[in-house]
């Protein structure tokens, strides 16, 4: 059995940010592929059958594939400058939890198939659309739109898929694979301080709050920084800076709402060049979807108002606002969540401000989440943390939750016993494919 801490140790040097602490593990990149290869090697060394589906999702079948499967997993990509645990903790914990199930004999008695799934481009850091793999699987994004997405270099998602040996013609909703999932459980590092002041290492997800992304483009007039009088400029950077400065005040009027501009791009980008255009990307979140709508409408209105005075006669700065994605507030199914609460009675229920593949899958299959305490409460930054003992407690909780779903609650008494077959594929178990 491999400890979750040593599993994470095996990848701690993969994708380190060359600019400083933290990680850069973009979706569908060489680094994500290296991490995926690590996962595949770990899965195959345990005897699991591994397949990469048409959408680039990696499936490791712990048992023989089948209907009504229990699936656990997470992602391996990161935001730029991300932490060590957002994603990989869930993948490493899945491997470690399955090891525990096997060693305790519970896996050999499993009444349902079991698989681990690793979803690509969960962060949407490369192509702008979060949870790209699970959105494609479920049809939450169609292939036409997805294939046309471009990264910073201008490479289309279609091109990048090809370079990964995947066929763009075959991406998209996969009812057969989706239909096999009977329940999905994702373990994830906590991305806030909810557990920090408690004595609990693990929480259960209740909901994921609604969140959307918008692209705001400002277009002005490029010109010379030295020869253009201040009164004769249509500078998109000035207009964009005005709205960025206004956002905290606008959003502050909506209790519980958050909005962030975390990425900007100035065209063409020269110190002595008045920009011709500026792009900014806005992330807005609130549990009430109508509030998110109100916030973006107010920001868009204000952006246009504030830009109208940013140019000079006849050369106003133009603003366009495009929604790139929206995921409404998702409540995890009461049935699975209640059973998890009964299994882990001390674990608090938590709403999450962060998005997850489980939130996308929840619209189609019973899904649930476990969060593992993060002592700093910081995430999407190098300071993200997880104590070793908490990570181990998370694995025990996940193993017990999987056992509950597999219909083998208890400590494994009466099972095949520790150190059973390298592969527990349920052959001979009549109920396995029920
Ligand atoms: C992903 O972690 C997100 O919430 O954006
Ligand atoms: Mn994540
Ligand atoms: Mn994240």
């Amino acid at each position: 059995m491999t400890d979750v801490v040593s599993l994470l140790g095996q990848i701690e040097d993969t994708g380190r940010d060359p600019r400083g602490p933290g990680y850069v593990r973009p979706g569908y990149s060489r680094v994500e592929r290296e991490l995926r290869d690590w996962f595949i090697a770990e899965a195959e060394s345990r005897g699991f059958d591994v397949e990469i589906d048409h959408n680039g999702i990696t499936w490791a079948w712990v048992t023989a594939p089948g209907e009504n499967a229990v699936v656990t997993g997470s992602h391996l990509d990161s935001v730029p400058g991300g932490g060590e645990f957002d994603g990989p903790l869930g993948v490493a914990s899945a491997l470690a939890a399955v090891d525990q199930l096997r060693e305790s004999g519970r896996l050999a008695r499993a009444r349902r198939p079991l698989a681990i799934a690793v979803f690509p481009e969960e962060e949407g850091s490369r192509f702008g659309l979060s949870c790209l793999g699970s959105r494609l699987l479920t049809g939450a994004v169609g292939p036409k739109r997805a294939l046309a997405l471009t990264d910073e270099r201008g490479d289309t998602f279609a091109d990048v898929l090809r370079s990964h040996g995947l066929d763009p013609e075959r991406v998209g909703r996969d009812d057969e694979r989706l239909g096999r999932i009977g329940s999905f459980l994702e373990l994830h590092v906590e991305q806030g301080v909810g557990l920090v002041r408690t004595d609990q290492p693990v929480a259960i997800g209740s909901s994921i709050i609604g969140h959307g992304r918008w692209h705001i483009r400002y277009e002005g007039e490029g010109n010379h920084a030295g020869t253009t009088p201040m009164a004769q400029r249509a500078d998109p950077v000035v207009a964009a800076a005005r709205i960025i400065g206004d956002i905290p005040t606008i959003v502050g009027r909506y209790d519980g709402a958050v909005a962030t501009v975390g990425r900007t791009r100035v065209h063409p980008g020269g110190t002595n060049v008045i920009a011709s255009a500026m792009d900014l990307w806005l992330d807005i979140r609130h549990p009430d979807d109508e509030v998110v709508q109100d916030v973006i409408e107010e920001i868009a209105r204000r952006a246009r108002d504030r830009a109208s005075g940013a140019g000079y006669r006849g050369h106003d700065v133009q603003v366009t606002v495009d929604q790139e994605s929206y995921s409404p507030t998702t409540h995890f199914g009461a049935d699975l969540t209640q059973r998890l609460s009964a299994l882990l009675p001390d674990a608090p229920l938590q709403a999450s401000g962060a998005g997850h593949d489980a939130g996308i899958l929840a619209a189609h299959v019973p899904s649930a989440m476990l969060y593992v305490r993060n002592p700093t409460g910081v995430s999407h930054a190098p300071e993200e943390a997880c104590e070793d003992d908490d990570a181990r407690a998370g694995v025990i909780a996940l193993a017990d939750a999987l056992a509950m779903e597999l219909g083998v609650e208890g400590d494994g008494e009466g099972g095949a016993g520790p150190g059973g077959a390298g592969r527990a594929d349920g052959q001979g178990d009549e109920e396995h494919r029920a």
Side-chain angles (χ1 to χ4, degrees):
M1 177 164 74
T2 317
D3 177 50
V4 64
V5 177
S6 39
L7 278 169
L8 286 167
Q10 293 172 12
I11 52 170
E12 69 183 356
D13 290 326
T14 309
R16 280 198 183 272
D17 190 342
R19 303 165 301 181
Y23 293 86
V24 187
R25 295 165 162 172
Y28 298 93
S29 64
R30 180 189 53 76
V31 169
E32 193 191 38
R33 191 148 50 176
E34 254 177 71
L35 291 165
R36 189 184 73 188
D37 290 347
W38 161 81
F39 170 73
I40 291 172
E42 284 296 319
E44 288 182 343
S45 75
R46 289 164 170 78
F48 310 159
D49 279 343
V50 178
E51 50 173 348
I52 296 171
D53 71 16
H54 304 316
N55 294 312
I57 302 165
T58 307
W59 301 85
W61 285 95
V62 175
T63 64
E67 303 302 311
N68 195 26
V70 179
V71 180
T72 184
S74 192
H75 62 100
L76 292 167
D77 63 308
S78 80
V79 294
E84 183 180 351
F85 301 99
D86 176 356
L89 182 66
V91 175
S93 297
L95 289 166
V98 171
D99 286 350
Q100 282 196 4
L101 290 175
R102 184 158 57 199
E103 300 222 341
S104 63
R106 290 175 288 181
L107 186 58
R109 294 185 288 122
R111 291 168 183 273
R112 293 166 60 187
L114 175 63
I116 302 174
V118 179
F119 294 92
E121 179 73 331
E122 189 269 354
E123 299 290 1
S125 298
R126 179 159 184 193
F127 291 102
L129 193 57
S130 63
C131 300
L132 186 52
S134 54
R135 281 186 207 268
L136 283 166
L137 171 72
T138 56
V141 64
K144 190 161 173 253
R145 179 168 170 232
L147 292 172
L149 294 170
T150 52
D151 64 11
E152 280 285 313
R153 288 173 21 144
D155 292 337
T156 64
F157 181 50
D159 291 338
V160 171
L161 280 175
R162 266 185 224 101
S163 73
H164 279 249
L166 293 164
D167 180 357
E169 299 286 318
R170 302 189 73 180
V171 299
R173 184 172 171 132
D174 188 338
D175 284 322
E176 199 187 318
R177 267 193 186 74
L178 192 57
R180 279 182 170 176
I181 308 176
S183 41
F184 180 68
L185 285 169
E186 180 170 358
L187 177 146
H188 204 278
V189 71
E190 188 186 14
Q191 298 181 282
V193 294
L195 289 171
V196 175
R197 283 181 288 277
T198 73
D199 57 0
Q200 294 302 314
V202 174
I204 298 166
S206 56
S207 63
I208 293 183
I209 75 169
H211 53 280
R213 294 181 181 189
W214 286 263
H215 173 203
I216 307 185
R217 183 165 178 90
Y218 287 84
E219 286 175 301
E221 186 184 55
N223 212 330
H224 194 287
T227 60
T228 315
M230 295 306 285
Q232 290 177 23
R233 297 181 178 207
D235 186 341
V237 177
V238 171
R242 288 178 180 171
I243 192 63
I244 293 171
D246 285 350
I247 284 173
T249 313
I250 295 171
V251 177
R253 288 199 286 272
Y254 297 87
D255 193 28
V258 288
T260 308
V261 175
R263 182 158 72 103
T264 61
R265 192 166 57 198
V266 177
H267 301 267
T271 306
N272 56 350
V273 180
I274 300 168
S276 57
M278 178 158 167
D279 294 299
L280 58 89
W281 285 268
L282 177 64
D283 177 307
I284 306 178
R285 308 188 190 207
H286 190 277
D288 181 341
D289 297 317
E290 278 180 27
V291 172
V292 176
Q293 200 49 43
D294 288 348
V295 173
I296 184 58
E297 279 171 16
E298 191 171 340
I299 289 176
R301 195 166 47 244
R302 181 79 73 94
R304 290 190 188 96
D305 289 352
R306 298 285 258 145
S308 71
Y312 71 100
R313 259 176 307 124
H315 283 88
D316 250 350
V317 174
Q318 302 299 320
V319 189
T320 48
V321 180
D322 288 315
Q323 181 175 294
E324 291 196 328
S325 65
Y326 188 70
S327 306
T329 292
T330 300
H331 295 276
F332 291 118
D335 180 50
L336 181 52
T337 307
Q338 278 166 11
R339 281 186 289 120
L340 275 177
S341 283
L343 180 75
L344 308 167
D346 297 328
L349 272 176
Q350 271 189 11
S352 170
H356 303 285
D357 292 304
I360 301 294
L361 290 174
H364 303 267
V365 294
S367 301
M369 291 203 63
L370 296 174
Y371 298 111
V372 180
R373 178 165 52 191
N374 168 355
T376 65
V378 174
S379 190
H380 285 187
E383 290 74 20
E384 181 183 272
C386 182
E387 302 285 355
D388 293 353
D389 284 348
D390 286 356
R392 291 183 185 116
V395 171
I396 292 170
L398 179 62
D400 289 347
L402 293 172
M404 174 184 83
E405 286 305 279
L406 293 167
V408 288
E409 283 168 90
D411 59 5
E413 289 295 310
R423 170 177 167 145
D425 59 9
Q427 282 164 8
D429 178 353
E430 296 304 331
E431 291 174 85
H432 179 65
R433 286 162 198 273

